């Protein structure tokens, strides 16, 4: 039959006898008295023995169709691997005596033609071991060794590598012509189903996979192991070709997982992948198809071995020795279904009725899903998010990924550090010290001390502990609709989610300025809150303010008013907390921190997860004297506050803000955004006010422009209408009548038309006012 493959696959094995092997060995200076045939697919491999039966060397007689260039490529790549990863145990061919600098091969002639012969020194270990005997440690080590081999080979190139080898899983479709050789109809059908799936799912993705020269057949037949199952020698590079890196992963999984049933099949596969990814992490596209690749490799093995046996090219018993276990593995995958296989192998999680399952297991206290029709997100990039159907959404709501979803600077910093070290601040940690120095350098000189924690809630909780300890006071103040966290101590400072009837008597709220209605323009509301505490004989320990009032309605406060609040707090014996979780890291565009706009010097600056682009890292920046008073009573330690991975993320965010000149971009984008919305408002009287600073913005929806009556129902309808048009926003304010528009800082003026167009279309779709 004719196949577009290397002709060596279609040629008979060399007719080399044991006596021939002993005679050939003398050319390598090996005096053997006998030989043992080790078995091989298309070549002949012999163990050469001495007079007392001692093992002397391994000799391989190549197929007559094997090209000299290919054999030299095999020798060259082994030398390359040894130079890149000297500890990787690869078998190297012996030099020919008297021609040590020449090719490491000798010719031998049969009726089939010239065969090239190579001799190898013995490599310790057991050959053709049973992979089912590998324990967990050995499975992880196998994965690691496979990845090391791929990494050692990645810089090697050779023209002979550009060949078609049917064992290479990328050519799985070509074995369709061999399927008739599979005698059992059920087995044949299973193999065909796998090849159908390969054509449907893998073939379209193949061009996007990482590719290089790969071993092609790193299986239990081509590796020696010690008594613990750890690889001591990698042999037989005869199936090398240029292919996707995943071809070797597929070979590994097919060989080592064979014979394992049910859950054990997938558990062992996950351990192999764990080991592999300790060296070479898999990309998402690779993880998505790892199950199909493993099954395809098994299917290819069944098809080729059945065909070669039928054609008389190989001993049928030897050729098909793995077919039963390979078919059992294929059937296990087919029975589970490809989505189930993907979940088992780490390619994602999902399933039906997510809303119902979410309700059952997350419970009634969990905040409800956004939007009338919930969104199931699958990925995100920059200013956009993508659902499981691939639909794009302009994210105008999620501020936590500050410099943009999945920013490569941040994700790579996290991944890189997590592969090296992640521990706590009881050990010297240069990057944490440097991060603290960078943070204090961005603040007024008096703020010289940093505490690292894991979230904004923890940061504000610690600020409260520090404030109460330093002042000896027990009272707190926040704005009427504030949100500052969820801990037991800080939840009362979050009246947005905790109703006024649940607020403790040690806390009072004050109303910030309503710039749209001209309310609360002076400090009287703040004075009233202080007086209310005093009437209960409570003195304030701290007052806390989100500088962009994200939960109160996004109002641009007058600096002199904020200065008055700070002065009044200090006069009453309290400390001032600038909560920069939502307004910091350049969100206003005018400065790094929102408090800087007011000309104040806070006693605390608290940061949250935007500090790490969503990674759990946060901080409290304060004065040394406050920390010293706290240290007189206790010490502070957060197990993972300031760990190496979190700190790497925080450094990356600061680097992006600097290198991409994010703050000027924020100013430009914010001005363009507000101008575009005001233009839309000309034709839609339900828009009462458009306000904000940088990329902290609100669009207030009213029932009547004259009375400025809030319209929460229409606001909710607009939010859902925008969602239907691919734009995500939230709502905010005491009345719930304000669209909260706070995109990631990756949002630019280029995205403004997307938002404005969706907003206009949504407003035009609303029913006319009654």
């Amino acid at each position: 039959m004719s196949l577009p493959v290397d002709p060596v696959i279609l040629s008979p094995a060399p007719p080399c006898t044991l006596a021939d092997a002993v005679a050939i060995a003398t050319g390598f200076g090996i005096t053997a008295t006998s030989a043992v045939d080790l078995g091989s697919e298309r070549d002949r491999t012999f163990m050469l023995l001495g007079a007392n039966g001692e093992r002397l060397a391994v000799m391989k007689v190549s197929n007559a169709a094997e090209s000299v260039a290919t054999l030299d490529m095999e020798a060259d790549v082994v030398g390359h691997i040894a130079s890149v990863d000297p500890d990787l145990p690869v078998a190297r061919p012996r030099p020919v005596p008297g021609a040590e600098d020449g090719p490491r091969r000798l010719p031998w002639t049969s009726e089939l033609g010239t065969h090239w012969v190579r001799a190898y020194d013995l490599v310790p270990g057991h050959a053709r071991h049973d992979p089912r005997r590998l324990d967990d440690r050995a499975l992880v080590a196998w994965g690691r060794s496979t990845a090391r081999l791929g990494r050692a080979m990645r810089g090697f190139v050779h023209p002979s590598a550009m060949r078609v080898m049917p064992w290479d899983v990328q050519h799985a479709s070509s074995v369709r012509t061999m399927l008739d050789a599979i005698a059992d109809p059920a087995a044949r059908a299973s193999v065909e189903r796998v090849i159908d799936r390969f054509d449907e799912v893998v073939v379209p993705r193949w061009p996007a996979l990482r590719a290089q020269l790969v071993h092609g057949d790193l299986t239990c037949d081509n590796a020696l192991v010690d008594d613990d199952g750890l690889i001591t020698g990698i042999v037989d590079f005869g199936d090398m070709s240029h292919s996707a890196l995943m071809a070797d992963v597929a070979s590994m999984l097919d060989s080592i997982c064979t014979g394992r049933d049910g859950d054990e099949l997938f558990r062992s596969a996950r351990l192999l992948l764990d080991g592999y990814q300790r060296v070479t992490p898999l990309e998402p596209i690779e993880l998505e198809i790892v199950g199909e690749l493993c099954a395809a490799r098994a299917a290819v093995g069944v098809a080729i071995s059945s065909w070669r046996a039928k054609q008389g090219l190989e001993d049928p018993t030897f050729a098909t020795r793995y077919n039963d276990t390979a078919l059992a593995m294929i059937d296990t995958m087919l029975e589970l279904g490809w989505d189930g296989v993907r979940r088992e192998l780490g390619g994602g999680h999902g399933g039906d009725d997510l809303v119902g399952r979410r309700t059952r297991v997350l419970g009634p206290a969990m905040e409800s899903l956004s939007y009338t029709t919930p969104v199931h997100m699958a990925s995100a990039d920059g200013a956009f998010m993508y659902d499981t159907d691939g639909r794009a959404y302009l994210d105008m709501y999620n501020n936590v990924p500050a410099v943009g979803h999945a920013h490569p600077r941040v994700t790579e910093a996290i991944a890189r550090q997590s592969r090296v070290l992640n521990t706590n601040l009881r050990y010297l940690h240069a990057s944490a010290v440097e991060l603290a120095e960078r943070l204090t350098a961005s603040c007024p000189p008096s703020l010289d001390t940093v505490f690292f924690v894991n979230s904004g809630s923890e940061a504000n909780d610690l600020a409260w502990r520090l404030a109460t300890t330093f002042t000896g006071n027990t009272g707190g103040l926040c704005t009427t609709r504030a949100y500052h966290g969820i801990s037991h101590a800080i939840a009362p400072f979050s009246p947005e989610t905790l109703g006024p009837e649940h607020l403790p008597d040690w806390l009072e709220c004050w109303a910030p300025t309503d710039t749209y209605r001209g309310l609360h323009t002076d400090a009287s509301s703040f004075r009233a809150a202080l007086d209310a505490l005093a009437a209960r004989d409570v003195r304030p320990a701290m007052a806390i303010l989100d500088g962009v009032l994200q939960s109160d309605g996004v109002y641009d406060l007058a600096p002199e008013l904020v200065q008055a609040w700070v002065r009044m707090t200090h006069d009453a014996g309290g400390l001032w907390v600038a909560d920069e979780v939502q307004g910091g890291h350049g969100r206003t565009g005018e400065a790094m921190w929102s408090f800087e706009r007011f000309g104040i010097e806070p006693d605390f600056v608290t940061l949250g997860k935007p500090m790490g682009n969503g990674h759990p890292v946060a901080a409290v920046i304060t004065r040394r004297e406050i920390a010293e008073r706290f240290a007189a009573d206790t010490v502070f330690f957060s197990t993972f506050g300031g760990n190496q991975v979190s700190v790497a993320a925080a450094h990356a965010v600061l680097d992006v803000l600097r290198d991409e000149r994010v703050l000027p971009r924020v100013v430009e984008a914010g001005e363009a955004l507000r101008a575009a919305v005001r233009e839309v408002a000309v034709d839609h009287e339900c828009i009462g006010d458009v306000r904000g600073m940088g990329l902290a913005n609100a669009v207030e929806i009213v029932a009547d422009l004259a009375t400025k009556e809030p319209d929460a129902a229409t606001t909710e309808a607009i939010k859902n209408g925008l969602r239907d048009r691919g734009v995500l926003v939230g709502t905010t304010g005491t009345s719930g009548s304000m669209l909260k528009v706070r995109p990631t800082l990756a949002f630019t003026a280029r995205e403004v038309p997307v938002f404005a167009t969706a907003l206009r279309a949504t407003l035009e779709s609303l029913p006319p006012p009654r």
Side-chain angles (χ1 to χ4, degrees):
M1 71 182 293
S2 176
L3 285 173
V5 297
D6 193 300
V8 70
I9 300 298
L10 309 177
S11 300
C16 184
T17 65
L18 299 179
D20 292 332
V22 170
I24 297 169
T26 60
F28 291 98
I30 300 171
T31 303
T33 59
S34 61
V36 176
D37 191 337
L38 298 179
S40 184
E41 175 199 12
R42 60 181 186 268
D43 305 315
R44 297 295 297 278
T45 304
F46 301 94
M47 175 67 72
L48 301 174
L49 305 176
N52 298 317
E54 70 274 18
R55 298 186 300 173
L56 303 176
V58 172
M59 191 173 72
K60 184 172 183 178
V61 183
S62 295
N63 193 290
E66 196 81 77
S67 73
V68 169
T70 298
L71 298 177
D72 290 344
M73 174 180 68
E74 293 180 33
D76 291 345
V77 77
V78 169
H80 177 83
I81 292 168
S83 68
V84 174
D85 189 347
D87 295 329
L88 197 61
V90 292
R92 302 191 66 180
R94 278 190 177 193
V96 177
E100 283 77 6
D101 296 331
R104 299 187 174 200
R105 50 183 163 78
L106 290 172
W108 178 74
T109 303
S110 79
E111 63 270 22
L112 298 178
T114 298
H115 306 267
W116 292 100
V117 184
R118 291 160 292 172
Y120 296 84
D121 288 328
L122 296 178
V123 175
H126 312 296
R128 295 211 170 96
H129 55 94
D130 184 349
R132 292 171 295 186
R133 298 179 62 185
L134 297 177
D135 63 15
D136 292 356
R137 173 171 170 261
L139 289 171
V140 173
W142 259 85
R144 190 181 182 93
S145 294
T146 302
R148 285 177 60 195
L149 180 62
R151 180 159 290 196
M153 294 176 68
R154 67 182 176 182
F156 182 80
V157 294
H158 198 285
S160 295
M162 306 307 293
R163 58 178 179 161
V164 177
M165 303 296 289
W167 288 109
D168 180 354
V169 72
Q170 72 169 307
H171 305 299
S173 304
S174 68
V175 304
R176 286 188 185 277
T177 55
M178 301 178 177
L179 298 186
D180 287 344
I182 303 174
D184 180 59
R188 189 186 318 126
S190 293
V191 169
E192 188 167 21
R193 286 177 63 189
V194 170
I195 302 303
D196 289 344
R197 176 69 178 183
F198 179 89
D199 287 345
E200 175 190 356
V201 172
V202 177
V203 170
R205 291 172 168 81
W206 193 270
L209 301 181
R210 291 177 291 179
Q212 62 171 68
L213 190 143
V214 300
H215 182 279
D217 197 28
L218 185 54
T219 65
C220 58
D221 281 350
N222 291 324
L224 304 178
V225 300
D226 61 18
D227 291 340
D228 294 324
L230 306 182
I231 292 178
T232 57
I234 299 171
V235 301
D236 192 355
F237 286 78
D239 289 302
M240 283 192 307
S241 66
H242 188 275
S243 184
L245 196 59
M246 289 299 290
D248 274 351
V249 175
S251 300
M252 170 187 72
L253 293 174
D254 169 36
S255 176
I256 306 304
C257 293
T258 188
R260 299 173 188 263
D261 300 322
D263 292 342
E264 183 59 21
L265 164 64
F266 296 109
R267 193 188 73 86
S268 61
R270 289 192 293 270
L271 292 177
L272 287 164
L273 293 173
D274 285 347
Y276 190 93
Q277 294 192 92
R278 291 185 182 189
V279 177
T280 303
L282 296 181
E283 297 177 349
I285 189 174
E286 294 168 332
L287 276 172
E288 287 176 7
I289 58 173
V290 67
E292 283 87 351
L293 287 171
C294 174
R297 168 71 189 211
V300 164
V302 172
I304 292 177
S305 61
S306 298
W307 180 82
R308 285 180 61 81
K310 186 175 182 180
Q311 297 294 313
L313 296 171
E314 196 173 350
D315 176 71
T317 301
F318 182 82
T320 62
R321 63 195 183 281
Y322 297 128
N323 284 11
D324 288 345
T325 52
L327 287 165
M329 181 168 66
I330 287 171
D331 287 339
T332 296
M333 293 186 177
L334 291 174
E335 289 170 10
L336 180 60
W338 296 112
D339 287 344
V341 170
R342 185 176 65 255
R343 290 193 296 272
E344 289 285 351
L345 297 181
H349 300 275
D352 299 327
D353 188 26
L354 281 180
V355 173
R357 289 163 57 199
R358 179 186 191 271
T359 300
R360 286 193 295 274
V361 297
L362 300 186
M366 183 69 185
E367 185 172 3
S368 60
L369 289 162
S370 297
Y371 312 109
T372 304
T373 303
V375 186
H376 186 182
M377 290 301 182
S379 64
D381 181 32
F384 289 87
M385 301 177 76
Y386 302 87
D387 68 14
T388 51
D389 294 324
R391 184 184 182 187
Y393 295 83
L394 178 61
D395 184 4
M396 303 292 287
Y397 178 71
N398 290 291
N399 66 306
V400 171
V403 295
H405 290 285
H407 194 292
R409 186 85 65 94
V410 183
T411 58
E412 288 307 308
I414 292 170
R416 187 166 51 247
Q417 183 59 51
S418 67
R419 290 193 291 269
V420 177
L421 174 68
N422 199 28
T423 186
N424 59 66
L425 281 174
R426 287 195 177 106
Y427 306 98
L428 283 174
H429 180 353
S431 57
V433 174
E434 183 183 349
L435 178 60
E437 291 169 342
R438 294 179 77 177
L439 292 175
T440 56
S442 71
C443 292
S446 64
L447 297 174
D448 56 4
T449 302
V450 177
F451 294 86
F452 287 118
V453 289
N454 303 289
S455 70
S457 292
E458 287 187 31
N460 287 328
D461 188 282
L462 178 57
W464 174 247
R465 289 182 64 195
L466 291 164
T468 54
T469 300
F470 185 78
T471 66
N473 299 336
T474 58
L477 298 105
C478 67
T479 55
T480 52
R481 185 70 178 173
Y483 179 82
H484 295 289
I486 62 172
S487 72
H488 184 267
I490 293 302
F493 289 89
S494 301
E496 180 188 35
T497 56
L498 192 67
E501 67 277 12
H502 299 296
L503 298 181
D505 59 7
W506 53 260
L507 183 129
E508 280 293 329
C509 299
W510 85 92
T513 302
D514 181 338
T515 55
Y516 178 42
R517 295 172 178 81
L519 302 175
H520 313 297
T521 57
D522 60 21
S524 58
S525 178
F526 193 87
R527 170 53 63 192
L530 284 172
D531 290 345
L533 286 179
R536 296 193 292 273
D537 198 25
V538 176
R539 299 187 67 196
M542 77 179 200
I544 187 168
L545 177 70
D546 163 14
V548 294
L549 292 167
Q550 197 81 75
S551 296
D552 287 276
V554 191
Y555 298 108
D556 191 359
L557 296 170
E560 58 272 16
L561 179 59
V562 180
Q563 292 167 17
W565 293 341
V566 175
R567 186 170 57 252
M568 295 164 68
T569 300
H570 287 161
D571 289 346
L575 301 176
W576 187 265
V577 181
D579 184 337
E580 295 290 338
V581 174
Q582 299 197 67
H585 285 91
R587 179 150 295 274
T588 67
E590 300 171 29
M592 184 68 167
W593 312 117
S594 63
F595 75 80
E596 296 180 78
R597 301 166 55 249
F598 308 131
I600 65 169
E601 190 166 312
D603 302 294
F604 301 98
V605 175
T606 56
L607 311 178
K609 287 183 286 295
M611 176 180 173
N613 217 45
H615 190 81
V617 58
V620 177
I621 311 170
T622 189
R623 301 197 309 271
R624 186 172 189 84
E625 63 176 313
I626 295 175
E628 287 174 341
R629 174 64 187 85
F630 189 75
D633 290 348
T634 185
V635 296
F636 174 77
F637 176 72
S638 171
T639 304
F640 257 34
N643 69 79
Q644 285 87 346
V645 174
S646 297
V647 167
H651 274 297
V653 168
L654 294 178
D655 292 343
V656 171
L657 292 172
R658 176 197 62 206
D659 294 346
E660 295 186 7
R661 298 174 179 171
V662 170
L663 271 65
R665 189 176 73 198
V666 166
V667 171
E668 177 189 14
E671 290 174 350
L673 175 63
R674 290 185 292 277
V677 176
R678 287 174 182 137
E679 185 176 336
V680 172
V682 171
D683 300 319
H684 298 279
E685 293 187 352
C686 66
I687 296 180
D689 191 29
V690 180
R691 57 180 179 267
M693 57 236 73
L695 289 178
N697 295 277
V699 179
E700 185 152 358
I701 306 302
V702 296
D704 184 276
L705 276 177
T707 64
K708 300 181 180 180
E709 178 187 350
D711 190 344
T714 299
T715 306
E716 187 70 15
I718 295 171
K719 182 185 81 168
N720 282 286
L722 285 169
R723 172 252 184 264
D724 294 340
R725 291 165 178 81
V727 174
L728 306 179
V729 298
T731 58
T732 189
T734 304
S735 62
S737 62
M738 304 159 200
L739 297 175
K740 183 188 295 186
V741 185
R742 53 168 192 191
T744 74
L745 305 188
F747 179 86
T748 70
R750 290 189 298 273
E751 285 78 50
V752 167
V754 178
F755 178 75
T757 299
L759 179 60
R760 186 181 296 277
T762 298
L763 293 171
E764 290 173 352
S765 72
L766 296 176
R770 289 177 291 181

